Amino acid sequence: YKSRFMVKSGAKIKTIKTDDIAYFYSHNKLSLLVTREGENFPIDYALDELIHMLNPRLFFHVNRKLIIHIDAAKEIHPYFKGRLKLILHPPVEEEVIVSSQKTPAFKEWLDQ
């Protein structure tokens, strides 16, 4: 699995260790990497590609727009119809909902 990602930061290129990543999300057909400190960097991979590059013990594809690191889930709340609502750190602008289909796998992933 990837241990770091190359990202553009202004005119520079820097590396971000996978351990320093809170989550990846998709916004307007752009994939972004978000660090634990809340920095955002565009990356050249789609989420469907990323999930195969990441250690499944550390990262989970919670919905179409988001792959989270296990330590990014700050709070987990039951939600309607067997779904879960997540509060992430750093915070996300949109509500993060785990579908009822993914909820059992998500709970199992958290409890490893």
Side-chain angles (χ1 to χ4, degrees):
Y1 302 109
K2 281 182 86 59
S3 60
R4 64 184 50 85
F5 285 84
M6 303 286 286
V7 297
K8 291 178 185 166
S9 177
K12 299 181 286 186
I13 294 176
K14 65 189 235 178
T15 60
I16 307 283
K17 291 181 184 174
T18 307
D19 289 341
D20 296 332
I21 297 169
Y23 49 84
F24 297 90
Y25 76 98
S26 177
H27 182 68
N28 293 335
K29 298 187 180 184
L30 180 67
S31 295
L32 298 159
L33 174 159
V34 179
T35 66
R36 292 174 191 248
E37 288 78 43
E39 297 176 288
N40 291 297
F41 300 100
I43 54 172
D44 294 330
Y45 302 104
L47 295 188
D48 290 340
E49 295 174 292
L50 278 170
I51 198 63
H52 300 292
M53 299 176 189
L54 300 166
N55 184 339
R57 293 182 63 76
L58 299 176
F59 288 90
F60 191 87
H61 200 172
V62 294
N63 59 35
R64 288 181 295 116
K65 295 183 168 190
L66 198 61
I67 297 172
I68 68 165
H69 188 279
I70 197 162
D71 294 334
K74 184 173 148 188
E75 295 177 18
I76 302 159
H77 301 274
Y79 202 65
F80 305 105
K81 299 181 182 175
R83 297 178 293 172
L84 297 173
K85 180 179 175 181
L86 306 181
I87 306 297
L88 302 181
H89 181 76
V92 183
E93 291 179 20
E94 301 175 25
E95 278 192 333
V96 178
I97 306 297
V98 180
S99 73
S100 55
Q101 295 162 331
K102 286 193 173 194
T103 292
F106 181 75
K107 288 179 176 177
E108 188 176 309
W109 173 70
L110 282 176
D111 196 32
Q112 58 186 321

